[in-house]
Every structure is written in structure tokens, then in C-alpha cells.
Amino acid sequence: MTAELVRGQNHPLPQTRLEIRISAGNPIVAGATLGDERGTVRGAEWVAHPASPQLPGVEVSKQAAADHRLAVDLDALPEGVHRVHVLLALVSGSGGPARFGAMAAPSVAVTGLDGTGVAGYTITDLDAESAVIALELYRRQGVWKVRAVGQGYAGGLAEMLRDQGLPQAAELAAEINDAVARGMARSVAQPPPRAAGDDGRVRTATAGAGPAPDAPPPARPQTRPQPQPQPQAQAGPQAAAQPPSPAGDTAPGGRVDYQHPRRRTAAPPTPPPTAPPAPPGQPARPVAGDASGWTMDERLYNQVWGMFEDLARTAAAYRSAVDFAESRMEQELDKVLSDPRTRVGPAADAARAQARAKQAGLVEQARAALDRDLAQLVAESEVVEPALPPAYARWDSPVWQGYQVPMEIPMALRLGDLHLPERTELRIPMLVRLPLERGLWIDAGRTGSARGALLDSGELRRLAAETAVTHAARLLAVYPVDEFAVQVIDPAGSAATSLAPLLASGALREPPAAGAAGVSQVLAALTRRVDLVQMAIRSGATDALPPDLDLAQQLLIVHDFPHGFDDRAVTQLRYLADEGPSAGVHLMMVADREDAQVYGPVLDPLWRSLLRITPVADDHLADPWVGHAWTYEPSLVPAGSDVLRQVLDQVGRARQAYGR
């Protein structure tokens, strides 16, 4: 059970490998400092910040964001470190709030690597402060504990670092601000904040009186970097915000155009469809595309995002109302039992019955509100689902029967469905922005789900490989022919059966790389591509790229990792996971983490940089608003359907016609 801390309170840490989750209503900077027994920071090398995000035992985010996940391994800290301070600071000169008192109170949660809550702390009573020490992890008599600090500084980062004994505090604060400013200059917000009534959508009422009282404030959507996106860490389905296409479009004269191909700037957005009037006392009838956006695809994307948020907050309000009813009943029962005169007898029985009746009434009222809201969302889903384009649609959607190779890059891609236990048949499409800013990890190992427990390891690996092929096929189908290519590493050839549809259709240009030599060749070529594109971007000489360099987005499927990989190949793979998305190279790992145990914590940054999905239903994803555990189900082709072969055949013919 998560311990909710107040300022100054401490709590023991049950493990040494932790994740610190930070949620704020505006983009903020997150960092960490290492201190000795007195809390003194010995030098800049003991400060983890966006310009230097990794220290032994600590890893922080590379840029400002509304949500952060910091990784901490207390056993890996340098010798002499007895304290770790988690720092938060506002972004200077960004046009956002200049003091914490002007925004929602940030919250910090300490969890295990599996997401199990350890301690939480909401930092209140801040006013003019622009930097704050949120938490302190400290060691006393060999035992690590966490303390809620909440110490703010009106002088910002420089004053906070100086207070920790860092002599070059002003210089380091300036370096951090410069690094954050460079990241902010490449970013624009997407999707837009969704406030009630701001986009014409029919908003569902939440059960009870609104969101859960203890829920964190709504997270600001992740930013869309341009022109040079960088990987960002983000939670659960909050992978739904991804950047525009890097190194994917070519402007006249051969120069690389890094602008989003769908964005228009000269005309106002097209008004969304208007819902027909509803009878008095009835909710408005849902309409597909009932959201803001420049195109129908963007309106549908925003509408799906809104449904996701509505369901999260509706379920949170219901759960909060049920918890309140239980707590109130317990308080009333405790009051009866605390008085010996009323503990037994008819009066006590009547008091107990009355308390239980009140609890049942409150739960019934909350359930009625939940059912009303869920019915509205189900009706909206029934209208939206048939209207989704191929990039957003299920494989059993009729839209695939009229499929044609697109000429433009879509806005997002469907990876699967999400649902909550309150209404399992209500499925929300899990959409991620294109191009993929984070790689994908299809977990071929055992999960905690009931379905996964029934399958042996061989069947799970087969399903994982088929899931990877399905996602690759959708990516090939929704990109223009000359904008996307797939390469496969399959050292042992164990995925040959699953990869057959890609090879038979011609959608896969080259057979999978096999053996250590094939692994080395593919990784070397993609590493060279990333290096060249990054150098061209930094020097502003994108027109000087070699003519033989393929500027199409590249998806690398790595099957059965780490088989066939030596230390050099593992290093190259980590490099591609970190730097590849900014140069148009994306990673899809099909692997069981247990197989890579020999590398120990060396590969932890690799796994954290990837969005984990599963070949079977599993509740490992969380939303960015209230942190529900959502059950994810992959988007797979229905049994017996020939739609995948038909789509890939059409893609293969188009690629042959274009000489791809």
C-alpha cells in the first residue's frame, strides 16, 4: 500500500531499485543531486540534469515535460553518497508560470520497477518559489528511507544548488536552462489540452461529483518536436503523443523537409460535425469527428484521446465514491463500537444497519452515474469505430476492404485496445503518434496475465513474432511507399514462419539478417545512417547527405534478442534506441527480458526507452491522469481472415512499381 507522506515525514524503502514518477500541470525540469553524509554536493559531476541525464545509479529526463520518470538504483551509487535529492524547477523564459504558486501542486510518487507504490507526496503551500527539493532518499545505519522535503527556493535553480554546497551553482544552472531552452525550441504541444466545452465534443458527466479528489492534475500532452525530435520518457498510454516525421520528406532541390506533412498554417481548422439535437433530458447523440482539428483524421484522433480521458476520470470518480462510502461506514461503525453503552443491544444493531444502508445507497448512486457515463461512451465508441481510417482501425474493419496505398503520412497508428474492469467491452483504441518517437518492445516472456499463464514459452514467442509482423504490416500499409522500409534481424531464423507474409508479398525488401555477421552488418549500416543524418542536421547541411542514403523511415525488427549479439552489437542497439528516432530509425524488439539477464543492469536504459506491449492481454499500462492500470490487447488479425495478405500484396505491388 502506498504511504501518503506529508512534509518532513519519512518512510522506509523496501528495495533499492526504484522509479520516481513526477506529475505537474505544466512542463517542469526534473533532476537529482547526490550528497555526502552532510548532504553536500561535491561537484557538478554529482548532479543529474537534462544536459547530463545519467549518473551512476540515477537517470533523469532529457528535457522539460509535465510528467517525468526517474530511475534510481541505490546500490549503484558512487561510494560516499548517502543522500539523493529529487529537484523540480520551472522552465525560465518559456512563457509558462514563473512560480509554483501559479500552477497546480506537483506530485511525486516512489514506486518499484513493477509499478508497486511505495510512497507519494503532493507538494503544497508553494508560492513564489521557482525551484523545489521534492524528496530526499537517505541512508541511515545501512537502511535507505525516503523523506518528503518540499523546500522551495524563490531564487530558482542557482539558489537551490548553492544551498547544497555547489560552488559553481550559477554556471550549472545556466547550463541546465540552456539545454532545456534548446529542447523547448524544437517542441510544440500536441494534442491540445482538452477542457470541457472547448472543442464541441459531448463531454460525459463523471460519476459522483468529478474526478477522484486524490487524483493528480491532468497531465499536459507531450510535445511534438520539430525539426529534430529527441526521445522522451512517458507513462503508459501516454505514449499517445509522438513527434512529426524526421528525415522522412524531401523538398524540391533534394533538401530534407522536417515539417509535418499534414500540418496547414494558412487556413482555420475545419469545423467539426455538429451532433443532431437530442430530446429534452437526454444526452446529445455522439458524432464521429466531434472534436477540434485541421482534418478529419486529426479530429478523430483528438476524439479518441478525449474518450480515453473521459473513461479514466469517470472510473476514478466511481472508485473514489466507493472508497468514500466504505470509509464513512467504517467511521460510523467505529463510533458505535467505541462507546460501551452502545456496543451491543438493539440500538447498536440499528446503528450498524443504518451505516450499511447509507454505504449501499452511496455505492448505488455512484454506480448509476457510472453506468450513465459508460453508456454515453459506448454509444460514442459505436459511432467512432466504423469511421476510423486504416491507420486507426481494427483489422476487422470494413475500411480495409477498400484499402489503397496512401500518399500522405498519417497522424497516428493503432497498436491495440485499452479497457478497464468497470466495462471490459468498452475498448478505447491505443493510438501513438507517427513517426514513432519511442521504440516498441514486444515482450515474449511470461506476463502476469491469466492468458499468458496458460501458454508455454514457445507459444508466447510465436505470438510475439506474429504481433511484430502485424504491427510492421500496418506501418507499411499506412505510410507512402517511398516513406517507410522494414529490416529484420533474426539470428537463428526462428521467426521464418511468422515473417513469411512480409517476404512473400515483397513488402520486405531483404531477407532477415541471420547469424552474428548479419547482425553486425545491419547494425553498422543503420548506425552509419543515424550518424550521417545527425551530423547533417547539426551542421545545417542536409542537402550534403550521400545520394545512396535512403531517407525513408526505417523500422528494425530484432527477433529473439540477445541471441547472435556480442557486446559491440548490444552497444550499437542501445545507440539506435536512444538516437535512432531523431534520425528516422525506429526499433521493434521481440524479446524476453529474462534471456538478457547476463547483461544485468547494463540493459535497463534500453528496456526503459522502449514502449512495452504484449502479445496477449495484460494490464501493465497506465494513463497520465489518474494512473489506472489499463488492460492492453494487441491489434491482431482475426482468425481465418485474409485481410493481412491482401493488404501486403497491394503494398508489395506498389513497392515494385516504385522500384522499392
Side-chain angles (χ1 to χ4, degrees):
M1 184 176 179
T2 304
E4 294 297 330
L5 306 181
V6 297
R7 181 172 296 176
Q9 185 179 359
N10 60 42
H11 186 76
L13 295 173
Q15 56 202 57
T16 57
R17 299 180 68 186
L18 306 163
E19 189 172 72
I20 299 175
R21 304 181 181 187
I22 300 165
S23 179
N26 297 85
I28 61 174
V29 181
T33 60
L34 310 181
D36 57 20
E37 291 181 341
R38 297 188 301 274
T40 303
V41 179
R42 295 181 180 177
E45 67 277 6
W46 274 21
V47 182
H49 53 84
S52 178
Q54 291 183 333
L55 295 179
V58 178
E59 183 177 357
V60 304
S61 304
K62 294 183 179 180
Q63 63 182 42
D67 296 278
H68 295 268
R69 291 196 177 191
L70 281 58
V72 178
D73 185 351
L74 298 174
D75 289 336
L77 293 172
E79 186 178 357
V81 173
H82 290 260
R83 300 173 187 265
V84 179
H85 290 108
V86 177
L87 317 177
L88 310 180
L90 296 178
V91 181
S92 60
S94 65
R99 57 188 183 89
F100 277 106
M103 57 182 283
S107 61
V108 187
V110 180
T111 72
L113 295 184
D114 59 354
T116 303
V118 176
Y121 173 43
T122 300
I123 310 171
T124 57
D125 299 329
L126 296 177
D127 187 12
E129 297 88 346
S130 58
V132 62
I133 299 176
L135 296 176
E136 179 187 48
L137 311 181
Y138 64 99
R139 179 168 55 189
R140 180 163 297 169
Q141 297 179 349
V143 177
W144 282 96
K145 296 183 178 182
V146 57
R147 177 186 289 119
V149 180
Q151 174 63 51
Y153 295 85
L157 270 172
E159 182 182 354
M160 180 168 57
L161 294 173
R162 190 180 302 111
D163 190 50
Q164 296 189 47
L166 191 65
Q168 63 272 41
E171 294 81 357
L172 182 57
E175 180 183 349
I176 295 173
N177 289 330
D178 289 343
V180 173
R182 287 194 298 270
M184 297 288 289
R186 295 190 298 266
S187 304
V188 293
Q190 176 66 32
R194 302 184 59 85
D198 69 344
D199 57 5
R201 272 190 88 247
V202 178
R203 309 299 294 180
T204 61
T206 52
D214 57 347
R220 277 175 102 70
Q222 297 295 319
T223 56
R224 286 176 56 198
Q226 99 177 8
Q228 182 185 348
Q230 297 292 336
Q232 296 179 3
Q234 75 180 48
Q238 62 240 41
Q242 301 288 345
S245 171
D249 306 310
T250 306
R255 293 182 61 85
V256 180
D257 180 9
Y258 293 92
Q259 301 298 322
H260 192 284
R262 298 296 298 275
R263 178 60 59 189
R264 303 173 186 166
T265 57
T270 306
T274 303
Q282 298 294 323
R285 300 170 188 170
V287 175
D290 189 11
S292 61
W294 292 86
T295 65
M296 187 61 174
D297 284 4
E298 187 172 3
R299 293 199 295 269
L300 286 169
Y301 172 81
N302 288 334
Q303 187 171 16
V304 169
W305 183 275
M307 293 166 59
F308 180 36
E309 181 178 354
D310 285 347
L311 181 55
R313 296 196 181 282
T314 294
Y318 169 71
R319 295 176 187 182
S320 177
V322 171
D323 289 344
F324 171 76
E326 295 285 348
S327 175
R328 179 173 175 176
M329 181 183 68
E330 291 176 0
Q331 290 176 2
E332 293 181 355
L333 292 177
D334 288 343
K335 184 177 180 181
V336 172
L337 295 174
S338 63
D339 190 347
R341 294 171 298 179
T342 60
R343 191 173 298 168
V344 294
D349 295 340
R352 293 189 186 95
Q354 184 179 13
R356 294 189 180 99
K358 288 181 181 179
Q359 183 266 346
L362 290 172
V363 172
E364 183 179 358
Q365 181 181 1
R367 185 71 209 191
L370 174 68
D371 290 342
R372 180 196 65 228
D373 297 342
L374 291 179
Q376 179 78 359
L377 283 169
V378 168
E380 188 172 10
S381 177
E382 291 173 349
V383 172
V384 170
E385 189 68 51
L388 296 178
Y392 304 173
R394 294 195 303 249
W395 282 106
D396 60 356
S397 171
V399 72
W400 290 106
Q401 304 305 318
Y403 167 75
Q404 294 182 347
V405 177
M407 300 300 293
E408 293 182 328
I409 301 174
M411 188 174 187
L413 183 86
R414 186 175 192 152
L415 288 182
D417 295 333
L418 300 168
H419 65 84
L420 290 173
E422 280 77 8
R423 183 69 67 90
T424 57
E425 67 272 19
L426 176 56
R427 307 298 173 92
I428 305 296
M430 178 180 171
L431 304 180
V432 297
R433 292 299 300 269
L434 290 179
L436 298 171
E437 186 182 316
R438 297 178 68 189
L440 301 177
W441 166 28
I442 302 174
D443 192 349
R446 291 202 173 275
T447 65
S449 66
R451 171 86 189 280
L454 298 176
L455 302 174
D456 59 31
S457 59
E459 182 66 9
L460 282 172
R461 292 177 187 274
R462 183 189 66 81
L463 290 174
E466 291 183 356
T467 302
V469 170
T470 304
H471 290 320
R474 185 186 287 267
L475 283 163
L476 286 165
V478 303
Y479 265 87
V481 170
D482 58 342
E483 296 287 354
F484 200 82
V486 176
Q487 300 186 54
V488 179
I489 291 178
D490 186 19
S494 56
T497 302
S498 301
L499 293 170
L502 294 177
L503 286 167
S505 64
L508 191 62
R509 290 183 296 183
E510 302 289 342
V519 172
S520 176
Q521 183 179 358
V522 170
L523 293 178
L526 290 177
T527 300
R528 172 181 176 269
R529 183 194 192 280
V530 172
D531 289 340
L532 289 174
V533 172
Q534 286 190 336
M535 286 189 293
I537 294 174
R538 286 195 294 265
S539 62
T542 53
D543 54 347
L545 288 168
D548 63 336
L549 190 68
D550 187 1
L551 293 180
Q553 300 283 306
Q554 303 287 323
L555 175 69
L556 175 62
I557 302 177
V558 179
H559 184 262
D560 237 4
F561 176 82
H563 300 298
F565 281 73
D566 56 19
D567 290 345
R568 176 179 173 82
V570 169
T571 301
Q572 289 176 318
L573 192 68
R574 288 185 56 187
Y575 175 74
L576 292 177
D578 291 339
E579 304 297 336
S582 66
V585 176
H586 312 285
L587 196 60
M588 183 184 292
M589 300 274 291
V590 184
D592 180 358
R593 189 169 182 175
E594 296 296 323
D595 293 342
Q597 279 187 333
V598 65
Y599 291 98
V602 172
L603 288 181
D604 285 354
L606 172 65
W607 303 119
R608 284 197 300 269
S609 69
L610 304 174
L611 172 62
R612 175 178 174 255
I613 56 179
T614 53
V616 295
D618 188 66
D619 58 350
H620 65 281
L621 296 176
D623 64 78
W625 302 287
V626 291
H628 290 320
W630 291 75
T631 298
Y632 163 81
E633 290 193 12
S635 179
L636 301 177
V637 178
S641 174
D642 203 30
V643 63
L644 185 66
R645 183 191 61 80
Q646 295 173 0
V647 170
L648 285 176
D649 285 347
Q650 194 165 344
V651 171
R653 289 192 296 270
R655 296 181 75 86
Q656 291 176 4
Y658 275 83
R660 302 288 294 184

